[in-house]
């Protein structure tokens, strides 16, 4: 991969407390990359170091192979959008967007043309004369995006820009951000703790955990092939069950009830004390009782309807509960609470972390 932006062994401590350690990553020009992870995992700190708002304790940040650590923040050609809208309250939408060009003393006609282009890009032409207090949070954030993009930065950094908005507005602005990315080709680094948002927006996700990079991959990589229990648990829903590994090369495991199953993926995760089987809820299906070794007999504890799928909680021997998501096609009667059922699973889709 030809790296446009590279981070090499980044470290950052605050008064001796480590916030980011040994973070290295490469980002292509024009990529949409999301830093995903729980609160406090080092996402914003990494972003602020790239922006030049914070100095690292160690490591390097390179653009096109050259360090930018010696370049002041305002000369890095990087735009930023934060969670708080940070618009100037005494300026109109148009004046807010034009501001970065005004301070750079660009010619008047260029300022006018670029500002109009940005107003069009975020579809705010009709509200150009409004003040921030006269707009919704979503509209203010669109202006903030336009202002960050007006001087054509090569990189746009976004730190939880939608977390103050309600779900519907968030989805609307997510669509807007995707559009801005497609139209301009700007490289976007986006911080969020919201997995759905990460899946919806990103070309690749960088998963953070306690100041380190846990895993890097496309959305499907991370979802279908998590490399640790943490990754499997953080992205999507999962069922976990302790198992015994009988033959790691053949992927043979023994389930709590004693049955042995072959061809399960075994993954050296380093974050479990005991081997753990992970099964996604949508990879479980109802089967005829005693169909094969890859099934659990149990009883429906509860269920609820989610539109086109049913979510089931199934109690199985050993006091385990399996969550399943089953597509409902309307031709059969789905099992009800209290029914005895047999739940099948697919070894090649399951993973054992050890
Ligand atoms: P995230 O963006 O993933 O929520 P942060 O990068 O903000 O995580 O924080 C990483 C760690 O650094 C946390 O433990 C946080 O408490 C700490 N931290 C962040 N900013 C500061 C600061 N200005 N002073 C001291 N500690 C900080």
């Amino acid at each position: 991969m030809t790296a446009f932006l590279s981070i090499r062994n980044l470290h950052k401590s605050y008064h001796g407390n480590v916030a980011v350690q040994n973070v290295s990553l490469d980002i292509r020009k024009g990529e949409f990359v999301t830093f995903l992870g729980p609160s406090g995992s080092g996402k914003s700190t990494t972003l602020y170091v790239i922006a030049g708002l914070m100095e690292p304790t160690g490591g390097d940040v390179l653009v096109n192979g050259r360090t930018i650590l010696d370049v002041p923040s305002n000369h890095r050609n990087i735009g930023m959008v934060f969670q708080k809208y940070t618009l100037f309250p005494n300026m109109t939408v148009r004046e807010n967007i034009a501001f970065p060009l005004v301070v750079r003393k660009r010619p008047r006609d260029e300022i006018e043309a670029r500002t109009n282009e940005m107003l069009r890009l975020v579809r705010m032409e009709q509200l150009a004369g409004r003040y921030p207090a006269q707009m919704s949070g979503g509209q203010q954030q669109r202006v903030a995006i336009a202002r960050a993009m007006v001087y054509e930065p090569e990189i746009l950094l976004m730190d939880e820009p939608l977390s103050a908005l309600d779900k519907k507005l968030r989805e609307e602005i997510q669509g807007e951000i995707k559009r801005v990315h497609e139209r301009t080709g700007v490289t976007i680094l986006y911080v969020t703790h919201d997995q759905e948002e990460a899946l919806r927006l990103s070309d690749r996700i960088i998963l953070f955990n306690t100041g380190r990079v846990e895993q890097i991959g496309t959305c499907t990589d991370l979802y279908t092939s998590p490399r640790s229990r943490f990754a499997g648990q953080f992205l999507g829903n999962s069922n976990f069950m302790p198992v015994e590994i009988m033959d790691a090369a053949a992927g043979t495991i023994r389930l709590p009830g004693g049955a042995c199953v072959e061809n399960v993926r075994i993954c050296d995760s380093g974050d479990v004390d005991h081997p753990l089987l992970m099964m996604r809820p949508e990879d479980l299906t109802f089967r005829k009782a005693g169909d094969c070794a890859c099934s659990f007999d149990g009883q429906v504890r509860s269920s609820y309807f989610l539109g086109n799928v049913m979510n089931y909680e199934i109690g199985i021997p050993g006091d385990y509960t399996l969550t399943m998501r089953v597509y409902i096609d309307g031709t059969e009667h789905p099992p009800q609470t209290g029914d005895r059922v047999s739940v099948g699973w697919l070894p090649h889709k399951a993973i054992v972390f050890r």
Side-chain angles (χ1 to χ4, degrees):
M1 167 168 104
T2 325
F4 166 57
L5 174 69
S6 299
I7 296 178
R8 291 277 163 267
N9 297 321
L10 192 71
H11 283 257
K12 174 69 186 174
S13 304
Y14 296 103
H15 318 294
N17 294 321
V18 177
V20 169
Q21 49 187 326
N22 207 19
V23 166
S24 293
L25 43 101
D26 288 319
I27 291 162
R28 274 187 298 271
K29 198 165 176 57
E31 245 191 317
F32 196 128
V33 171
T34 298
F35 293 178
L36 175 69
S39 177
S41 57
K43 310 180 296 290
S44 300
T45 300
T46 305
L47 206 70
Y48 291 168
V49 169
I50 297 169
L53 301 174
M54 215 174 250
E55 287 209 3
T57 319
D60 206 352
V61 180
L62 307 120
V63 172
N64 289 322
R66 291 182 43 197
T67 185
I68 57 165
L69 289 183
D70 53 357
V71 180
S73 172
N74 56 344
H75 287 113
R76 286 195 187 183
N77 204 14
I78 291 175
M80 272 211 84
V81 179
F82 299 91
Q83 177 183 346
K84 303 245 170 62
Y85 315 129
T86 62
L87 298 179
F88 302 112
N90 56 337
M91 291 186 190
T92 63
V93 166
R94 176 179 288 283
E95 288 163 348
N96 262 287
I97 296 175
F99 185 78
L101 299 179
V102 174
V103 294
R104 284 172 172 78
K105 298 195 169 53
R106 303 284 261 270
R108 251 178 122 163
D109 49 351
E110 183 194 327
I111 295 178
E112 172 97 12
R114 279 295 295 164
T115 305
N116 286 338
E117 200 180 325
M118 288 301 108
L119 281 165
R120 268 199 304 279
L121 182 68
V122 297
R123 295 192 270 213
M124 291 291 287
E125 299 110 303
Q126 308 298 321
L127 302 182
R130 291 235 184 136
Y131 288 89
Q134 299 171 309
M135 293 187 298
S136 71
Q139 289 166 338
Q140 290 188 54
Q141 207 53 309
R142 278 150 73 163
V143 177
I145 293 166
R147 191 181 55 181
M149 290 292 297
V150 75
Y151 54 92
E152 299 180 82
E154 289 185 294
I155 303 168
L156 181 61
L157 306 180
M158 307 183 95
D159 189 10
E160 304 255 4
L162 309 182
S163 54
L165 306 178
D166 65 41
K167 188 169 162 35
K168 194 161 179 303
L169 256 183
R170 228 169 33 232
E171 285 175 2
E172 185 187 314
I173 312 296
Q174 280 166 4
E176 209 68 48
I177 292 170
K178 275 297 252 190
R179 242 170 42 84
V180 168
H181 180 240
E182 279 157 20
R183 297 252 167 118
T184 63
V186 66
T187 305
I188 298 186
L189 301 192
Y190 191 99
V191 165
T192 185
H193 62 272
D194 177 344
Q195 47 150 318
E196 258 182 57
E197 186 161 285
L199 291 173
R200 175 149 187 217
L201 292 173
S202 327
D203 295 324
R204 278 192 308 153
I205 293 174
I206 299 181
L207 184 62
F208 278 76
N209 182 16
T210 58
R212 297 169 189 271
V213 171
E214 181 83 15
Q215 190 168 349
I216 301 179
T218 62
C219 301
T220 36
D221 281 346
L222 256 75
Y223 190 81
T224 57
S225 302
R227 281 200 226 114
S228 61
R229 175 196 183 145
F230 173 85
Q233 208 160 22
F234 196 82
L235 211 73
N237 298 303
S238 300
N239 294 292
F240 289 102
M241 184 181 287
V243 292
E244 228 178 296
I245 297 176
M246 310 304 290
D247 179 349
T252 309
I253 57 165
R254 194 207 300 265
L255 298 167
C260 287
V261 175
E262 293 172 357
N263 294 324
V264 181
R265 280 184 286 171
I266 312 275
C267 176
D268 289 310
S269 71
D271 72 343
V272 291
D273 297 329
H274 189 280
L276 263 189
L277 173 67
M278 182 188 112
M279 295 166 288
R280 295 286 190 194
E282 65 277 13
D283 291 336
L284 301 180
T285 50
F286 289 119
R287 330 177 63 129
K288 289 195 197 89
D291 214 2
C292 76
C294 305
S295 65
F296 301 100
D297 291 330
Q299 187 169 25
V300 178
R301 289 213 176 117
S302 63
S303 63
Y304 56 87
F305 191 46
L306 281 170
N308 59 347
V309 293
M310 288 288 280
N311 189 92
Y312 285 99
E313 300 293 324
I314 312 289
I316 61 168
D319 210 19
Y320 296 108
T321 302
L322 296 177
T323 299
M324 13 179 349
R325 290 263 164 104
V326 181
Y327 176 72
I328 299 298
D329 67 5
T331 57
E332 288 171 35
H333 292 296
Q336 305 292 310
T337 302
D339 285 357
R340 308 284 325 170
V341 290
S342 185
V343 176
W345 59 285
L346 301 167
H348 68 277
K349 289 209 166 179
I351 302 177
V352 170
F353 296 118
R354 66 168 180 183

